[in-house]
Amino acid sequence: MALCLLRKLPQLAARQHPGCLLPAMFCSTSSAGNDPDIVLSRRGCAGVIELNRPKALNALSLPMVRAMHPRLLDWEADPEVAVVLIKPAPGSGKAFCAGGDIRAIADDCVSARSAETGAGSGRAGGSLSRDFFREEYALNHAIGTYKKPYVAFIDGITMGGGVGLSVHGDYRVATERTVFAMPETNIGFFPDVGGGFFLPRLHAQIGVYLALTGHRLSGEDVKKCGIASHFVNSEQLAELEERLCGGEWLTKEDSFGTVSRLSELLQQFEACSSLDMRVPFSLNRHMADIERHFRHDTMPQVVASLSSDPSSWAAAQLETLRKMSPTSLRVTLRQLRLGMHLNLAGVLKMEYRISQRFMTNHDFVEGVRAALVERRQPVWRPASVEEVSDEAVDEYFAPLPPDRELQLDTKRV
């Protein structure tokens, strides 16, 4: 019997998706180099999105978001588009998408603080940090409420913003090259892009564990824990793409039949893969420990629970957590506890508030500089989870001024 650690990520209601074979229509964003950062095209009955920033591990930029979102809406309304496929461009390296372009955002925060104070110590983020997260989260919401099948080939590194481009869609296809993580607490941030929605809905406390520690999952584990819906060997993706775009799975039956046949096609490829569901999920042997220690509602409780455990595993988790931003840890744990009771739109609105507060604190810029620029251990302020007050955490969740709150299309459900 297949192992499934996902409680249940709500699936979109199936709808009819007529399709036809048409010549591809090419569109791309502008790029500083000769190649576009994102390629948008029609192939048969599919709208295809290719991420093409290999030197940046396909990191998601604001121009990429702005190219992708309107095209998704166009395809959704186009009766000749039956399915959307997002994938790394051929030859784009070892990543699906390694996250958002956080270095550009951190630089924007520094510039804004310098402009406001004249000394670089201000408390305001710049326009990029507002626009990027607002438009990225709106894109995540569009994916999560998309009315046609949305298939992501998460072939390679899939972290942060790359998770937001994939996990909210109907079908997430992992390969032996997939590496999944939400490592944001390590850079003084938090697992956004709807992390507050899907992570607490994973089995038991596995999502909390992944969010706080940044633990990486690879290959078959991404399927076995429920983040990926299917597993296909990477050398099979080209054929799978051809058959998706060719529309052999389309049917004149009702929408349930259409989606069922797409699921059957993906399952056929998975059945021919190297996936062995008899091999346990790699964290299975620690699931009882994860449940026992990460079920608490505050970080001091989590730390105390791990500290009372004499095992080497618990000691390793404590060592990992001590490297993370204490503020990020405390905010993240509350985010996940609240997110369990919100829909995707509610989570994204909450996360936008949190994101804007992180743009004004010390740890985000410090974490990005330490990890990506200076290659050193960050100096967090405050330095321990015990020093982060409940009142300080409250501020991250407080409403923004009405004109700065995240606005989502309420007609999308």
Side-chain angles (χ1 to χ4, degrees):
M1 180 178 293
L3 171 67
C4 181
L5 296 183
L6 188 65
R7 284 189 182 129
K8 188 176 181 182
L9 286 179
Q11 295 298 309
L12 301 179
R15 293 173 171 84
Q16 187 172 358
H17 306 299
C20 68
L21 299 181
L22 293 175
M25 292 176 287
F26 176 84
C27 177
S28 69
T29 64
S30 60
S31 173
N34 294 325
D35 297 321
D37 291 342
I38 184 171
V39 178
L40 304 153
S41 62
R42 275 287 312 281
R43 299 179 191 171
C45 67
V48 180
I49 302 167
E50 295 176 281
L51 307 176
N52 191 39
R53 294 186 71 195
K55 293 182 179 179
L57 297 178
N58 288 337
L60 186 66
S61 66
L62 183 56
M64 293 167 71
V65 171
R66 288 177 171 172
M68 193 184 312
H69 195 170
R71 186 52 58 94
L72 275 177
L73 299 183
D74 289 345
W75 286 335
E76 188 176 48
D78 187 343
E80 295 177 339
V81 174
V83 62
V84 168
L85 169 65
I86 183 169
K87 62 169 194 162
S92 65
K94 59 184 179 179
F96 166 72
C97 175
D101 197 346
I102 58 171
R103 183 168 178 175
I105 295 167
D107 289 344
D108 179 66
C109 290
V110 172
S111 297
R113 296 177 191 185
S114 298
E116 291 208 2
T117 68
S121 58
R123 299 286 295 170
S127 61
L128 177 61
S129 63
R130 294 191 295 271
D131 294 344
F132 178 80
F133 292 113
R134 182 180 66 249
E135 297 185 40
E136 182 187 28
Y137 295 175
L139 174 60
N140 299 149
H141 183 249
I143 293 168
T145 56
Y146 209 60
K147 296 178 176 63
K148 294 181 177 180
Y150 182 97
V151 182
F153 288 175
I154 50 175
D155 182 31
I157 299 169
T158 304
M159 299 182 183
V163 175
L165 294 179
S166 56
V167 75
H168 303 299
D170 298 291
Y171 304 104
R172 293 87 56 199
V173 181
T175 75
E176 77 282 359
R177 301 189 299 201
T178 302
V179 178
F180 168 93
M182 296 295 281
E184 290 81 2
T185 58
N186 189 48
I187 57 164
F189 198 50
F190 73 108
D192 64 334
V193 297
F197 181 75
F198 82 88
L199 286 166
R201 287 168 172 80
L202 296 176
H203 177 70
Q205 301 299 322
I206 188 64
V208 176
Y209 173 75
L210 295 174
L212 295 178
T213 65
H215 182 84
R216 296 186 177 191
L217 299 175
S218 60
E220 296 184 8
D221 273 347
V222 183
K223 156 73 176 180
K224 290 174 180 176
C225 80
I227 293 167
S229 62
H230 296 81
F231 180 92
V232 174
N233 287 99
S234 57
E235 64 266 21
Q236 297 175 303
L237 290 179
E239 182 183 351
L240 175 56
E241 178 180 350
E242 181 179 353
R243 293 175 67 177
L244 278 172
C245 296
E248 67 177 63
W249 52 276
L250 290 168
T251 175
K252 293 182 180 179
E253 299 173 10
D254 60 13
S255 56
F256 179 80
T258 299
V259 173
S260 293
R261 288 196 61 190
L262 177 53
S263 297
E264 289 172 6
L265 177 63
L266 294 170
Q267 288 164 5
Q268 288 171 14
F269 275 79
E270 179 174 279
C272 296
S273 75
S274 60
L275 176 67
D276 187 351
M277 295 302 286
R278 296 170 298 180
V279 177
F281 176 50
S282 64
L283 291 175
N284 261 10
R285 63 188 183 277
H286 296 302
M287 288 302 293
D289 296 322
I290 290 172
E291 173 67 20
R292 177 159 54 98
H293 296 307
F294 288 85
R295 63 183 173 82
H296 301 287
D297 290 333
T298 71
M299 279 307 303
Q301 290 174 320
V302 172
V303 170
S305 182
L306 287 166
S307 298
S308 68
D309 185 338
S311 71
S312 59
W313 180 86
Q317 307 319 304
L318 279 172
E319 183 179 359
T320 295
L321 291 174
R322 290 186 180 120
K323 296 176 182 177
M324 308 304 184
S325 160
T327 299
S328 294
L329 292 174
R330 293 208 61 171
V331 170
T332 294
L333 185 53
R334 185 181 295 187
Q335 167 208 3
L336 300 189
R337 296 299 184 227
L338 293 174
M340 184 62 193
H341 306 288
L342 298 172
N343 62 17
L344 179 59
V347 165
L348 291 168
K349 291 178 180 180
M350 172 182 70
E351 291 179 355
Y352 186 71
R353 293 176 177 177
I354 299 171
S355 74
Q356 296 310 288
R357 271 48 185 263
F358 269 105
M359 295 303 100
T360 69
N361 80 1
H362 163 270
D363 280 6
F364 174 66
V365 171
E366 168 67 9
V368 174
R369 279 179 168 173
L372 301 182
V373 182
E374 299 169 6
R375 309 291 182 180
R376 58 171 173 80
Q377 288 298 313
V379 179
W380 305 122
R381 297 203 309 247
S384 71
V385 294
E386 291 79 11
E387 295 176 68
V388 182
S389 68
D390 290 340
E391 292 75 20
V393 176
D394 291 342
E395 292 179 8
Y396 285 80
F397 296 84
L400 295 166
D403 62 340
R404 290 185 57 198
E405 291 277 20
L406 178 65
Q407 303 297 323
L408 298 172
D409 185 354
T410 56
K411 296 178 182 178
R412 302 191 66 90
V413 293

